[in-house]
């Protein structure tokens, strides 16, 4: 029996059984629906992309996987070179892992050990944001701040190694003033906090964070697992403000195979580069650098560049703004739009209960959570399909007066 994610198994509604998928569409036995979630924000090129499928198949003819301990291979070499060239600044050193949560763990371990390697054992704390979501593994939960995901940590009592602040510059300055000598890093989901409720904030906050991190020697980590590859309307938010470490996942492989990467700059890497074995990064997920995943990622990046995706995303944002303009309802607290993300936040979560089925009946797959009804569509969506997604969201409020 399958134990499903984020579900009370006793009361959960039956999931829709998918038998085929192509482009933006998911197919069940008797329905066809636009995936407005992009399978947790990852399937940016849509399903059954012939080129990605082909890249995976061609690699599978050689080998699907070899470990990176003592071995290497062309797809992982090419992908790390591509990422080093494609990512801004000197974000050049790629540590691969099998999921976003693990890649976040790696980034936090890097930041802590960076100081341990220098002999500084006082910098044990992490600065993070309120409403942060960085994954479901333990350290990722600790730096996260969302009771709905992380409440089990209450059993441990107060968090000793993490401080949370809102996305406000005075709070940021106060936190650095007070804790700077104890901080090894500041980790953020830049501009768009996803699972914490599609919360959006201004780039000025990140610019100030960069200044303070420089001033006090604190490493800045961007968790771009969700925001990377164009979701915010920027290729990476790191194009606007340069972090010391960036974490990528979700859309890295176009959503074809689970994989993630933690990319460090030269300063961080040099903190480990030494004749001393104990200064090495002691981490190594079994499936890191998986050859099928790397082949899919290389093709995904190629499609992204070749297909003028940033232009597409700007169009999706413009179209969404136009469709949502002037739309309001007494139950709606706020409508937020950024790049390829739109979120309707309601005051009361009961007001969107039943939306999943409502959307299904209209040919749209949606998975609202808590007070948030949202869409993060595949970038290959056309105007008619996008209009249908947005109309369905609006129609819910009109039909259920
Ligand atoms: C989804 C997500 C993660 C976790 O990635 P997994 O692949 O699910 O482990 C981490 N950080 C952010 C910002 C995410 O959205």
């Amino acid at each position: 029996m399958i134990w499903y994610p984020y579900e009370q198994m006793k009361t959960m509604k039956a999931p829709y059984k998918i038998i085929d998928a192509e482009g933006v569409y998911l197919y069940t036995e008797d329905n066809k629906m636009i995936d407005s979630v992009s399978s947790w924000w990852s399937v940016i090129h849509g399903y059954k992309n012939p080129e990605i499928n082909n890249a995976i198949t061609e690699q599978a003819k050689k080998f699907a996987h070899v470990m990176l301990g003592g071995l290497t291979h062309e797809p992982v070499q090419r992908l790390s070179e591509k990422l080093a060239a494609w990512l801004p600044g000197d974000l050049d050193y790629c540590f691969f892992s099998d999921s976003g949560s693990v890649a976040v763990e790696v980034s936090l371990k890097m930041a802590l050990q960076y100081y341990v390697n220098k002999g500084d054992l006082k910098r044990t704390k992490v600065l993070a944001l309120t409403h942060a979501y960085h994954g479901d593994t333990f350290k990722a939960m600790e730096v996260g701040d969302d009771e709905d995901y992380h409440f089990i940590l209450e059993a441990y009592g107060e968090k000793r190694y993490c401080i949370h602040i809102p996305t406000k510059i005075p709070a940021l300055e106060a936190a650095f003033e007070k804790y700077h000598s104890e901080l090894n890093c500041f980790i953020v989901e830049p501009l768009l906090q996803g699972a914490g409720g599609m919360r959006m904030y201004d780039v000025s906050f990140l610019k100030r964070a960069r200044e303070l991190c420089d001033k006090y020697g604190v490493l800045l980590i961007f968790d771009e697992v969700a925001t990377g590859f164009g979701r915010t309307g920027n290729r990476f938010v790191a194009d606007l403000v340069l972090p010391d470490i960036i974490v990528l996942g979700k859309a890295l492989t176009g959503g074809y195979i689970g994989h993630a990467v933690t990319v460090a700059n030269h300063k961080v890497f040099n903190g480990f580069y030494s004749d001393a074995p104990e200064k090495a990064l002691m981490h190594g997920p079994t499936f890191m650098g998986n050859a099928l995943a790397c082949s899919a990622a290389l093709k995904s990046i190629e499609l992204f560049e070749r297909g003028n995706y940033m232009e597409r995303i700007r169009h999706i944002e413009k179209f969404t703004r136009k469709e949502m303009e002037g739309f309001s309802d007494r139950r709606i607290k706020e409508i937020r739009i950024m790049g390829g993300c739109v979120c309707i936040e309601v005051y009361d979560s009961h007001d969107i209960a039943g939306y999943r089925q409502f959307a299904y009946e209209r040919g749209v797959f949606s998975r609202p959570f808590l007070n948030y009804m949202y869409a993060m569509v595949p970038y290959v969506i056309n105007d008619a399909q996008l209009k249908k997604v947005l109309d369905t969201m609006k129609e819910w409020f009109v039909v259920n007066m």
Side-chain angles (χ1 to χ4, degrees), residues 6 40-41 98-102 104 133-137 140 189 192 194-195 223-227 247 249-250 259-260:
Y6 306 122
W40 270 329
W41 327 337
D98 34 27
S99 77
S101 302
V102 174
V104 165
Y133 176 85
H134 295 289
D136 294 336
T137 54
E189 294 161 88
L192 171 63
D223 176 355
E224 294 220 45
V225 170
T227 55
V247 187
K250 290 198 165 93
H259 222 63

Side-chain angles (χ1 to χ4, degrees), residues 109-316:
K109 201 178 193 176
M110 274 179 187
L112 178 62
Q113 193 180 339
Y114 175 81
Y115 285 102
V116 170
N117 281 358
K118 282 182 186 296
D120 185 342
L121 303 180
K122 291 208 182 63
R123 292 194 183 245
T124 53
K125 291 197 167 89
V126 174
L127 186 63
L129 298 177
T130 49
H131 304 292
Y133 176 85
H134 295 289
D136 294 336
T137 54
F138 266 77
K139 191 71 187 177
M141 281 200 292
E142 191 189 330
V143 299
D145 172 52
D146 197 317
E147 280 185 29
D148 297 291
Y149 298 97
H150 309 135
F151 60 89
I152 63 153
L153 287 190
E154 277 171 24
Y156 288 169
E158 206 180 320
K159 291 183 180 179
R160 287 176 56 197
Y161 297 110
C162 188
I163 297 132
H164 289 100
I165 55 163
T167 52
K168 298 278 178 285
I169 289 176
L172 176 71
E173 290 172 340
F176 270 90
E177 187 65 38
K178 184 161 177 206
Y179 296 108
H180 61 88
S181 61
E182 296 167 74
L183 296 177
N184 59 63
C185 71
F186 180 29
I187 185 168
V188 296
E189 294 161 88
L191 294 188
L192 171 63
Q193 296 183 280
M198 308 299 165
R199 291 161 197 270
M200 299 166 189
Y201 61 93
D202 195 75
V203 69
S204 58
F205 179 85
L206 297 174
K207 289 191 172 141
R208 187 70 185 122
R210 180 69 273 179
E211 286 169 7
L212 289 166
C213 283
D214 286 340
K215 178 170 176 192
Y216 293 113
V218 174
L219 298 176
L220 181 60
I221 303 176
F222 278 7
D223 176 355
E224 294 220 45
V225 170
T227 55
F229 302 97
R231 190 53 73 183
T232 66
N234 306 283
R235 212 175 51 125
F236 300 95
V237 182
D239 288 331
L240 307 179
V241 175
L242 192 63
D244 297 291
I245 301 174
I246 187 172
V247 187
L248 304 174
K250 290 198 165 93
L252 174 66
T253 66
Y256 279 66
I257 299 176
H259 222 63
V261 64
T262 309
V263 188
N265 69 4
H266 289 223
K267 172 175 145 176
V268 172
F269 181 80
N270 288 335
F272 291 76
Y273 196 72
S274 151
D275 290 318
E278 69 276 10
K279 291 194 176 172
L281 179 63
M282 298 305 284
H283 209 99
T286 303
F287 292 106
M288 71 185 289
N290 175 271
L292 300 181
C294 291
S295 303
L298 279 162
K299 187 53 75 177
S300 172
I301 293 171
E302 187 192 319
L303 293 175
F304 193 99
E305 288 190 293
R306 214 173 67 206
N308 222 348
Y309 272 54
M310 292 315 303
E311 198 49 55
R312 282 175 195 243
I313 296 159
R314 274 190 283 275
H315 175 75
I316 289 172

Side-chain angles (χ1 to χ4, degrees), residues 17-28 31-39 43-49 256 359-360 362-365 377-389:
K17 186 169 176 181
I18 301 308
I19 56 167
D20 201 358
E22 185 163 18
V24 299
Y25 290 107
L26 296 170
Y27 296 86
T28 59
N31 198 8
K32 168 185 175 184
M33 46 185 173
I34 299 170
D35 182 4
S36 74
V37 185
S38 303
S39 274
V43 183
I44 56 175
H45 312 289
Y47 297 94
K48 211 188 283 182
N49 180 285
Y256 279 66
Y360 175 81
R362 283 154 185 79
V364 174
F365 175 64
V377 295
Y379 302 147
V380 295
I381 199 164
N382 67 29
D383 286 0
Q385 293 160 342
L386 180 55
K387 186 166 187 337
K388 179 160 180 169
V389 169

